[in-house]
């Protein structure tokens, strides 16, 4: 990767073919070692986390990160929203730790980026600092996921697993984690589950089919949120309810 910090502050870039712009734009899909965030809130969180490498802005912006003033044409090349706020940061991806805390959120093939981002944001709000995205889940660094997460990715320990979900769950069970799986066929209301003194994994499932049956079968308890007039909830909503209950 280019050494992006070795440059002067507030340089003006007028060409969309500039090598720094081309390099930044290549990470718009969230693949590779870097990613882009847009909007003042996200950029500020990126700076606070120490992960911001470069800032691209329509107006001068004071920070200790190399900043480039660009025009609207260039900014559109670096953004995906219809009405961007006028500022973008190129960031390096945060390092991960293998040390896991008392409670873990596990996403089993949650495919919608809005749902993944919402669950990450909610996880941070309720102290689920360790999140595992099972194989088949939407990527963390896609633009829509990042936008929905509202910067939560800068404060969470997120693992994007390439292993089969059941294998990952069995590894966690071997480490002494109590597995809580959501299941529409379950009869146990969430409030009846005692998590005191337990370290546990809360498993949320795919939007269409829910949690995989092999994971459900290996879980220690299966829960179903009690409701009326409708038979299911959006996974982001359901996850929020359960994370609130299991703090």
């Amino acid at each position: 990767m280019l050494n992006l910090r070795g440059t002067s502050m507030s340089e003006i870039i007028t060409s969309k073919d500039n090598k720094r712009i081309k390099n930044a734009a290549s990470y718009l899909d969230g693949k590779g070692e870097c990613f882009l965030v847009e909007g003042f809130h996200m950029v500020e969180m990126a700076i606070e986390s120490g992960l911001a490498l470069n800032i691209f802005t329509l107006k001068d912006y004071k920070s200790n990160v190399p900043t480039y003033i660009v025009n609207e044409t260039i900014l559109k090349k670096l953004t995906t929203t219809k009405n961007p706020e006028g500022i973008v940061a190129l960031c390096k991806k945060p390092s991960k730790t293998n040390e896991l805390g008392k409670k873990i959120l596990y996403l089993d093939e949650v495919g919608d980026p809005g749902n993944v981002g919402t669950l990450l944001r909610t996880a941070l709000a309720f102290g689920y600092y360790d999140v595992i995205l099972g194989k088949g889940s939407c990527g963390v660094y896609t633009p829509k996921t990042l936008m929905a997460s509202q910067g939560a990715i800068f404060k969470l320990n997120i693992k994007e697993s390439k292993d089969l979900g059941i294998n990952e769950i069995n590894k966690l069970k071997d480490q002494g984690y109590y597995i809580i799986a959501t299941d529409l066929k379950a009869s146990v209301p969430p409030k009846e589950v005692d998590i005191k003194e337990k370290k546990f994994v809360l498993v949320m499932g795919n939007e269409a089919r829910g949690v995989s049956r092999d994971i459900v079968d290996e879980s220690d308890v299966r829960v179903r949120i009690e409701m009326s007039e409708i038979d299911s909830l959006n996974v982001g909503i359901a996850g929020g309810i359960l994370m609130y209950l299991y703090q």
Side-chain angles (χ1 to χ4, degrees):
M1 194 183 88
L2 295 174
N3 181 5
L4 299 170
R5 288 190 177 274
T7 185
S8 59
M9 303 291 282
S10 297
E11 178 182 330
I12 297 175
I13 296 177
T14 58
S15 173
K16 64 180 181 180
D17 294 322
N18 177 279
K19 66 179 182 180
R20 292 190 181 280
I21 300 302
K22 284 186 173 182
N23 180 69
S26 70
Y27 294 111
L28 191 59
D29 60 2
K31 297 177 181 179
E33 56 192 348
C34 297
F35 64 101
L36 290 167
V37 297
E38 56 182 284
F40 288 98
H41 172 68
M42 295 281 278
V43 170
E44 287 169 5
M45 291 192 72
I47 294 170
E48 289 174 5
S49 69
L51 297 175
L53 297 171
N54 283 171
I55 294 172
F56 303 94
T57 176
L58 294 177
K59 298 179 181 180
D60 198 18
Y61 182 83
K62 294 181 180 180
S63 78
N64 60 353
V65 176
T67 301
Y68 302 90
I69 298 175
V70 299
N71 55 42
E72 291 187 3
T73 300
I74 293 175
L75 191 75
K76 287 181 180 179
K77 187 174 181 178
L78 302 176
T79 59
T80 58
T81 55
K82 290 183 179 180
N83 299 299
E85 291 184 24
I87 189 167
V88 175
L90 176 66
C91 309
K92 61 181 178 181
K93 291 183 178 178
S95 58
K96 313 298 180 186
T97 176
N98 292 322
E99 295 183 12
L100 301 173
K102 179 184 176 183
K103 52 188 180 182
I104 299 170
L105 175 65
Y106 183 90
L107 305 186
D108 177 35
E109 294 188 39
V110 179
D112 182 83
N115 287 334
V116 172
T118 296
L119 285 162
L120 295 176
R121 183 179 182 180
T122 308
L124 180 61
F126 296 130
Y128 284 70
Y129 295 107
D130 297 300
V131 181
I132 300 174
L133 273 68
K135 185 177 181 180
S137 290
C138 179
V140 173
Y141 300 100
T142 64
K144 289 184 179 179
T145 302
L146 290 168
M147 192 63 67
S149 77
Q150 283 298 295
I153 58 107
F154 293 113
K155 296 185 177 182
L156 296 174
N157 179 43
I158 305 172
K159 174 184 177 182
E160 294 183 272
S161 178
K162 296 181 180 179
D163 201 355
L164 291 174
I166 187 60
N167 293 344
E168 196 77 61
I169 292 300
N170 282 333
K171 288 177 186 177
L172 292 167
K173 288 191 73 172
D174 289 343
Q175 295 173 41
Y177 281 92
Y178 184 76
I179 310 299
I180 304 171
T182 53
D183 183 9
L184 290 177
K185 297 180 181 179
S187 59
V188 179
K191 291 183 179 179
E192 291 186 9
V193 177
D194 183 9
I195 58 168
K196 292 180 180 178
E197 308 303 323
K198 289 187 176 77
K199 59 179 187 177
F200 64 90
V201 180
L202 174 61
V203 184
M204 304 304 302
N206 176 267
E207 290 86 348
R209 60 158 175 74
V211 176
S212 303
R213 293 314 305 175
D214 52 357
I215 293 178
V216 169
D217 291 342
E218 285 298 315
S219 64
D220 294 292
V221 66
R222 309 168 191 179
V223 299
R224 180 181 186 276
I225 299 171
E226 296 172 294
M227 63 191 86
S228 60
E229 304 298 331
I230 197 164
D231 60 1
S232 64
L233 294 171
N234 168 274
V235 65
I237 299 296
I241 292 170
L242 293 173
M243 282 186 273
Y244 174 77
L245 289 174
Y246 299 147
Q247 291 187 70

